[in-house]
Amino acid sequence: MEADIISTVEFNHTGELLATGDKGGRVVIFQREPESKNAPHSQGEYDVYSTFQSHEPEFDYLKSLEIEEKINKIKWLPQQNAAHSLLSTNDKTIKLWKITERDKRPEGYNLKDEEGKLKDLSTVTSLQVPVLKPMDLMVEVSPRRVFANGHTYHINSISVNSDCETYMSADDLRINLWHLAITDRSFNIVDIKPANMEDLTEVITASEFHPHHCNLFVYSSSKGSLRLCDMRAAALCDKHSKLFEEPEDPSNRSFFSEIISSVSDVKFSHSGRHMLTRDYLTVKVWDLNMEARPIETYQVHDYLRSKLCSLYENDCIFDKFECAWNGSDSVIMTGAYNNFFRMFDRNTKRDVTLEASRESSKPRAVLKPRRVCVGGKRRRDDISVDSLDFTKKILHTAWHPAENIIAIAATNNLYIFQDKVNSDMH
């Protein structure tokens, strides 16, 4: 079903919870089971913890537009008490949800009966102390705030600030700063909308706050550039502090150059020293202190370079792949076609292609590296570039913040792989 297609995946800050959002506006939260005493090395599996409807389809009567319920992004807030909180957004509206557990219920009220109805006061002859009785665990999800009317265009990213008080949301042309406690106004911090829309040359594709410095954030553009902004410098961050851009190689220039250079995702490393970006064919690592070019470039599926014409015709060239760092910033991961995903070890420079499929996901199965060949000689397990399935694409991935556990969304299936033995890439 179209509504079941997963549109975002996100671990919380401890990795104990994992949330997915789908095209039907639902959020499913998975919780990691604790390790069992009998088998201490068998780490807990992730089981469904709670499911709730976050967004419903709406209709904008002023513009005669349907607003999809699809969840574009989920972001967890750092946990500050027993409850968990997350932000979820569709194209237009951001919502703050609170997730709490109840395993006790009060009994023995003086003025109410067990159903909660008020008793006839003339029958109350003695006072009793209500007591808490254990009950089956209940997970309650309640909407705390709705942040609406902040965006004219479609929201593509949200990011919670390290000050734990503010967050930002970005659409094609603007970025807004919100306070988590204030729903009816936001502060516009970036606006790239030209006076005349015919002069529009680029759009914002993703944005993220720096993990440690609450004044810094980055946003990426469809022209392949990154702009690092400092909110201390000016109220409106239209003048960036740093512009990260790789000069184009004139020998590679083609009709598709601009489309494939568009950055679909940007992520700060956990250390805050580097940024990771994904464009159509590559992932790049940038050093915050070097704007002229990335310090590392990895080819995700270079064999598609000759296929750009047909990928343009079937619209695949506009697919927006995400990227992720592992907990120690030493390995990066991103998706590809045919349900393949790629991992690059920054230290050893080794890379691997793995497949998220039902065959490979039996419990305890070891993932076999896959290879794509372009014409010529072919090994037995190789797959030809001409037989790749472009309808199966891994757009959304997430990495556990501390351990080698990854979550891969393949259309309407969620795969969770974990490394049992070594902390290498396999």
Side-chain angles (χ1 to χ4, degrees):
M1 261 175 67
E2 176 85 0
D4 295 335
I5 293 174
I6 297 172
S7 50
T8 183
V9 284
E10 191 81 18
F11 281 101
N12 75 338
H13 295 266
T14 60
E16 294 306 299
L17 298 175
L18 170 68
T20 65
D22 67 21
K23 280 199 167 177
R26 282 183 305 270
V27 172
V28 181
I29 301 174
F30 299 85
Q31 183 184 42
R32 194 175 182 192
E33 293 299 310
E35 291 183 35
S36 65
K37 298 274 190 295
N38 312 336
H41 295 300
S42 76
Q43 275 153 342
E45 309 285 321
Y46 283 84
D47 294 326
V48 174
Y49 178 63
S50 177
T51 304
F52 62 97
Q53 189 72 30
S54 171
H55 287 69
E56 304 278 357
E58 293 172 65
F59 193 78
D60 182 337
Y61 292 98
L62 286 174
K63 298 193 181 127
S64 295
L65 277 180
E66 280 189 42
I67 301 168
E68 284 186 16
E69 64 272 38
K70 173 188 163 207
I71 308 292
N72 292 347
K73 283 286 181 280
I74 290 172
K75 284 287 180 270
W76 292 90
L77 272 58
Q79 193 176 357
Q80 302 191 323
N81 50 32
H84 294 276
S85 300
L86 61 80
L87 290 167
S88 63
T89 186
N90 67 349
D91 284 342
K92 292 281 184 244
T93 305
I94 305 151
K95 297 185 180 181
L96 173 65
W97 298 91
K98 185 178 179 185
I99 302 117
T100 48
E101 287 186 357
R102 278 226 328 247
D103 59 359
K104 294 183 179 67
R105 70 161 175 259
E107 280 183 12
Y109 284 114
N110 289 292
L111 303 179
K112 293 179 186 171
D113 61 18
E114 297 310 318
E115 272 73 57
K117 294 193 188 74
L118 278 174
K119 293 180 187 172
D120 178 0
L121 294 185
S122 62
T123 63
V124 180
T125 54
S126 61
L127 288 177
Q128 56 183 352
V129 178
V131 291
L132 286 172
K133 291 277 180 70
M135 59 178 254
D136 289 342
L137 177 70
M138 210 168 83
V139 179
E140 291 182 335
V141 180
S142 51
R144 303 294 294 187
R145 298 200 173 79
V146 176
F147 304 87
N149 309 323
H151 287 275
T152 312
Y153 308 97
H154 293 177
I155 298 170
N156 56 43
S157 44
I158 48 178
S159 178
V160 180
N161 199 344
S162 59
D163 65 11
C164 300
E165 287 183 5
T166 56
Y167 75 92
M168 68 177 173
S169 56
D171 66 27
D172 292 346
L173 299 179
R174 295 191 180 108
I175 300 177
N176 290 337
L177 181 69
W178 302 81
H179 193 285
L180 282 160
I182 302 167
T183 57
D184 58 354
R185 63 181 183 272
S186 60
F187 191 76
N188 180 230
I189 50 174
V190 172
D191 186 346
I192 65 164
K193 186 182 178 185
N196 181 354
M197 282 295 268
E198 286 174 9
D199 300 334
L200 184 69
T201 57
E202 64 181 332
V203 294
I204 297 166
T205 54
S207 66
E208 192 178 55
F209 269 118
H210 190 280
H212 316 304
H213 302 301
C214 61
N215 52 291
L216 293 180
F217 68 93
V218 68
Y219 69 91
S220 57
S221 91
S222 55
K223 277 198 160 170
S225 60
L226 300 173
R227 288 176 175 85
L228 187 73
C229 301
D230 188 339
M231 291 193 290
R232 293 173 305 188
L236 192 62
C237 300
D238 285 358
K239 293 187 174 63
H240 48 267
S241 306
K242 291 188 175 186
L243 174 67
F244 299 81
E245 207 166 31
E246 188 168 27
E248 191 186 25
D249 178 357
S251 63
N252 280 341
R253 179 105 191 114
S254 78
F255 169 73
F256 304 108
S257 296
E258 196 156 307
I259 303 173
I260 63 172
S261 67
S262 175
V263 174
S264 54
D265 195 18
V266 57
K267 294 268 170 51
F268 277 106
S269 61
H270 295 81
S271 70
R273 171 70 192 264
H274 297 105
M275 296 180 294
L276 176 63
T277 60
R278 171 71 207 258
D279 56 41
Y280 192 63
L281 294 177
T282 67
V283 275
K284 294 172 179 164
V285 176
W286 302 78
D287 188 313
L288 255 63
N289 298 328
M290 192 167 105
E291 297 164 69
R293 61 183 183 279
I295 53 170
E296 296 158 31
T297 299
Y298 301 97
Q299 300 295 333
V300 177
H301 37 208
D302 205 39
Y303 45 78
L304 295 184
R305 216 172 268 280
S306 59
K307 296 252 179 288
L308 293 176
C309 205
S310 55
L311 290 163
Y312 178 75
E313 284 165 7
N314 66 14
D315 275 354
C316 283
I317 202 166
F318 301 107
D319 285 334
K320 293 175 170 55
F321 292 94
E322 294 170 9
C323 51
W325 297 90
N326 72 340
S328 61
D329 298 333
S330 60
V331 183
I332 53 186
M333 165 175 68
T334 192
Y337 292 106
N338 211 66
N339 277 359
F340 288 168
F341 58 99
R342 304 271 283 131
M343 288 188 171
F344 303 92
D345 188 313
R346 298 179 56 213
N347 299 326
T348 63
K349 297 296 181 243
R350 283 172 36 212
D351 65 279
V352 65
T353 302
L354 300 168
E355 182 180 5
S357 68
R358 298 209 162 206
E359 295 71 60
S360 66
S361 65
K362 296 187 175 66
R364 314 281 176 274
V366 176
L367 291 182
K368 283 209 310 266
R370 303 298 310 260
R371 275 168 50 98
V372 177
C373 69
V374 187
K377 283 190 178 166
R378 201 172 134 191
R379 292 202 221 151
R380 196 165 61 93
D381 284 345
D382 284 3
I383 180 163
S384 157
V385 68
D386 297 315
S387 54
L388 292 173
D389 186 342
F390 291 105
T391 62
K392 295 179 173 172
K393 42 191 112 173
I394 307 280
L395 301 176
H396 314 289
T397 59
W399 205 309
H400 187 291
E403 297 176 41
N404 272 338
I405 299 175
I406 54 172
I408 306 279
T411 326
N412 51 0
N413 294 312
L414 176 71
Y415 294 94
I416 298 175
F417 299 112
Q418 60 181 358
D419 185 355
K420 289 288 191 188
V421 205
N422 53 14
S423 56
D424 198 0
M425 290 193 323
H426 311 309

